[in-house]
Protein backbone atom coordinates (compact mmCIF):
# COMPACT_ATOMS: atom_id res chain seq x y z
CA UNK A 1 0.00 0.00 0.00
CA UNK A 2 1.45 3.35 -1.10
CA UNK A 3 4.83 1.72 -1.66
CA UNK A 4 4.94 0.20 1.82
CA UNK A 5 4.65 -3.46 2.72
CA UNK A 6 2.44 -4.15 5.74
CA UNK A 7 2.34 -7.50 7.55
CA UNK A 8 -0.72 -8.76 9.38
CA UNK A 9 -0.24 -8.46 13.15
CA UNK A 10 -3.66 -9.46 14.48
CA UNK A 11 -7.35 -9.40 13.66
CA UNK A 12 -10.42 -8.90 15.82
CA UNK A 13 -14.12 -8.26 15.68
CA UNK A 14 -16.44 -5.49 16.83
CA UNK A 15 -20.16 -5.84 17.49
CA UNK A 16 -21.70 -3.65 16.17
CA UNK A 17 -19.49 -2.18 13.43
CA UNK A 18 -17.63 1.06 14.15
CA UNK A 19 -17.99 2.33 10.58
CA UNK A 20 -20.96 3.50 8.56
CA UNK A 21 -21.19 3.94 4.81
CA UNK A 22 -23.52 6.77 3.79
CA UNK A 23 -25.21 6.46 7.17
CA UNK A 24 -25.79 2.72 6.89
CA UNK A 25 -24.78 0.77 9.98
CA UNK A 26 -23.64 -2.86 10.08
CA UNK A 27 -24.00 -5.54 12.77
CA UNK A 28 -20.28 -6.37 12.90
CA UNK A 29 -16.87 -5.49 11.46
CA UNK A 30 -13.60 -7.41 11.26
CA UNK A 31 -10.43 -5.34 11.71
CA UNK A 32 -7.21 -6.76 10.28
CA UNK A 33 -4.33 -4.80 11.83
CA UNK A 34 -1.13 -4.55 9.77
CA UNK A 35 2.24 -2.98 10.54
CA UNK A 36 5.08 -1.88 8.28
CA UNK A 37 8.76 -2.41 9.06
CA UNK A 38 8.86 1.28 10.04
CA UNK A 39 6.08 0.69 12.59
CA UNK A 40 3.26 2.37 10.65
CA UNK A 41 -0.15 0.82 11.08
CA UNK A 42 -2.79 0.01 8.44
CA UNK A 43 -6.14 -1.56 9.30
CA UNK A 44 -8.34 -3.33 6.75
CA UNK A 45 -11.98 -3.20 7.86
CA UNK A 46 -14.40 -5.85 6.59
CA UNK A 47 -17.97 -4.81 7.23
CA UNK A 48 -20.41 -7.61 7.92
CA UNK A 49 -24.03 -7.85 6.85
CA UNK A 50 -26.44 -10.66 7.67
CA UNK A 51 -26.78 -13.26 4.92
CA UNK A 52 -25.11 -16.56 4.05
CA UNK A 53 -23.14 -18.24 6.82
CA UNK A 54 -19.38 -17.71 6.47
CA UNK A 55 -17.41 -21.00 6.49
CA UNK A 56 -14.19 -19.37 7.74
CA UNK A 57 -16.06 -17.77 10.63
CA UNK A 58 -17.41 -21.22 11.48
CA UNK A 59 -13.80 -22.31 12.02
CA UNK A 60 -13.15 -19.26 14.19
CA UNK A 61 -16.32 -19.57 16.23
CA UNK A 62 -15.60 -23.24 16.95
CA UNK A 63 -12.84 -21.90 19.22
CA UNK A 64 -14.52 -18.67 20.30
CA UNK A 65 -13.82 -18.10 24.02
CA UNK A 66 -16.93 -18.02 26.18
CA UNK A 67 -15.74 -15.01 28.17
CA UNK A 68 -14.21 -11.71 27.05
CA UNK A 69 -10.43 -11.65 27.53
CA UNK A 70 -10.00 -15.40 27.25
CA UNK A 71 -7.83 -16.75 24.46
CA UNK A 72 -7.86 -19.96 22.50
CA UNK A 73 -5.55 -21.60 19.99
CA UNK A 74 -6.42 -22.17 16.37
CA UNK A 75 -4.50 -24.24 13.84
CA UNK A 76 -2.97 -21.85 11.31
CA UNK A 77 -3.47 -24.10 8.31
CA UNK A 78 -7.27 -24.32 8.43
CA UNK A 79 -7.91 -21.42 6.09
CA UNK A 80 -6.43 -18.29 4.58
CA UNK A 81 -7.63 -14.96 5.91
CA UNK A 82 -7.50 -13.52 2.40
CA UNK A 83 -10.46 -15.80 1.68
CA UNK A 84 -12.48 -13.56 4.00
CA UNK A 85 -12.08 -10.62 1.63
CA UNK A 86 -15.09 -9.72 -0.54
CA UNK A 87 -14.96 -10.33 -4.30
CA UNK A 88 -15.00 -6.61 -4.95
CA UNK A 89 -11.70 -5.27 -3.62
CA UNK A 90 -12.75 -1.59 -3.81
CA UNK A 91 -12.25 0.29 -0.59
CA UNK A 92 -12.43 3.66 1.09
CA UNK A 93 -9.18 4.97 2.53
CA UNK A 94 -8.57 7.61 5.17
CA UNK A 95 -6.27 8.41 8.06
CA UNK A 96 -7.59 7.83 11.56
CA UNK A 97 -6.69 6.32 14.89
CA UNK A 98 -6.89 2.94 16.56
CA UNK A 99 -10.33 2.62 18.15
CA UNK A 100 -9.11 1.11 21.42
CA UNK A 101 -6.51 2.52 23.87
CA UNK A 102 -3.92 3.87 23.26
CA UNK A 103 -5.94 5.12 20.23
CA UNK A 104 -2.72 5.58 18.25
CA UNK A 105 -3.06 8.24 15.54
CA UNK A 106 -1.91 8.25 11.92
CA UNK A 107 -3.36 4.85 11.21
CA UNK A 108 -4.18 4.16 7.58
CA UNK A 109 -7.73 2.80 7.36
CA UNK A 110 -8.98 0.79 4.40
CA UNK A 111 -12.69 0.03 4.62
CA UNK A 112 -13.79 -2.52 2.04
CA UNK A 113 -16.82 -1.18 0.20
CA UNK A 114 -18.51 -4.57 -0.26
CA UNK A 115 -19.62 -6.17 3.02
CA UNK A 116 -19.08 -9.86 3.66
CA UNK A 117 -21.89 -11.98 5.09
CA UNK A 118 -22.32 -13.85 8.34
CA UNK A 119 -25.51 -15.69 9.22
CA UNK A 120 -27.89 -14.38 11.88
CA UNK A 121 -26.70 -17.22 14.14
CA UNK A 122 -23.02 -16.36 13.61
CA UNK A 123 -23.61 -12.72 14.53
CA UNK A 124 -25.69 -13.77 17.55
CA UNK A 125 -22.96 -16.16 18.75
CA UNK A 126 -20.41 -13.36 18.87
CA UNK A 127 -22.97 -10.97 20.36
CA UNK A 128 -23.52 -13.31 23.31
CA UNK A 129 -19.86 -12.95 24.31
CA UNK A 130 -19.43 -9.31 23.24
CA UNK A 131 -22.80 -7.52 23.32
CA UNK A 132 -21.13 -4.15 22.72
CA UNK A 133 -17.40 -3.75 22.07
CA UNK A 134 -17.36 -0.79 19.68
CA UNK A 135 -16.22 2.78 19.96
CA UNK A 136 -19.02 5.26 19.17
CA UNK A 137 -19.01 6.73 15.67
CA UNK A 138 -16.43 9.49 15.36
CA UNK A 139 -16.94 12.75 13.42
CA UNK A 140 -15.38 12.95 9.97
CA UNK A 141 -14.12 16.48 10.75
CA UNK A 142 -12.12 17.78 7.81
CA UNK A 143 -10.59 14.45 6.98
CA UNK A 144 -10.33 13.30 3.39
CA UNK A 145 -12.03 9.99 2.57
CA UNK A 146 -10.98 8.64 -0.81
CA UNK A 147 -12.48 5.78 -2.80
CA UNK A 148 -10.03 3.35 -4.36
CA UNK A 149 -9.33 3.23 -8.06
CA UNK A 150 -11.02 0.63 -10.26
CA UNK A 151 -10.68 -2.85 -8.84
CA UNK A 152 -8.13 -4.24 -11.30
CA UNK A 153 -5.71 -1.43 -10.59
CA UNK A 154 -6.10 -1.96 -6.86
CA UNK A 155 -5.94 -5.74 -6.58
CA UNK A 156 -2.19 -5.76 -7.09
CA UNK A 157 -1.63 -3.50 -4.12
CA UNK A 158 -3.03 -6.00 -1.62
ZN1 LIG B 1 -10.90 -2.74 15.91
Amino acid sequence: MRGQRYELVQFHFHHPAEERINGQSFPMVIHMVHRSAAGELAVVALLVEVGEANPIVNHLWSRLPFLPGQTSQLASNLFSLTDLLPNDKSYFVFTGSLTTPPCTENVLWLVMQQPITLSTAQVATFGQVYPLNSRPLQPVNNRLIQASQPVNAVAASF
Side-chain angles (χ1 to χ4, degrees), residues 16-29 47-50 92 111-116 137:
E18 297 180 321
E19 302 84 357
R20 289 185 200 164
I21 296 180
N22 294 326
Q24 184 187 349
S25 56
F26 297 85
M28 289 184 67
V29 66
L47 291 162
V48 170
E49 64 183 7
V50 169
F92 297 108
V111 177
M112 303 305 291
Q113 294 182 22
Q114 182 187 9
I116 64 169
L137 195 68

Side-chain angles (χ1 to χ4, degrees), residues 10 12-14 18-19 29-33 43 98-100 109 133:
Q10 56 105 318
H12 59 266
F13 301 77
H14 296 280
E18 297 180 321
E19 302 84 357
V29 66
I30 303 171
H31 284 164
M32 297 175 168
V33 182
V43 182
L98 292 183
T99 67
T100 53
W109 281 88
N133 70 337

Side-chain angles (χ1 to χ4, degrees), residues 51-99:
E52 294 281 309
N54 189 305
I56 294 175
V57 170
N58 271 344
H59 278 302
L60 298 173
W61 275 201
S62 70
R63 295 300 188 95
L64 187 69
F66 290 112
L67 293 171
Q70 287 185 334
T71 60
S72 63
Q73 298 296 315
L74 203 61
S76 61
N77 59 352
L78 286 176
F79 54 83
S80 169
L81 276 184
T82 55
D83 293 340
L84 271 177
L85 295 173
N87 292 330
D88 182 348
K89 302 292 191 295
S90 304
Y91 56 87
F92 297 108
V93 60
F94 56 91
T95 303
S97 59
L98 292 183
T99 67

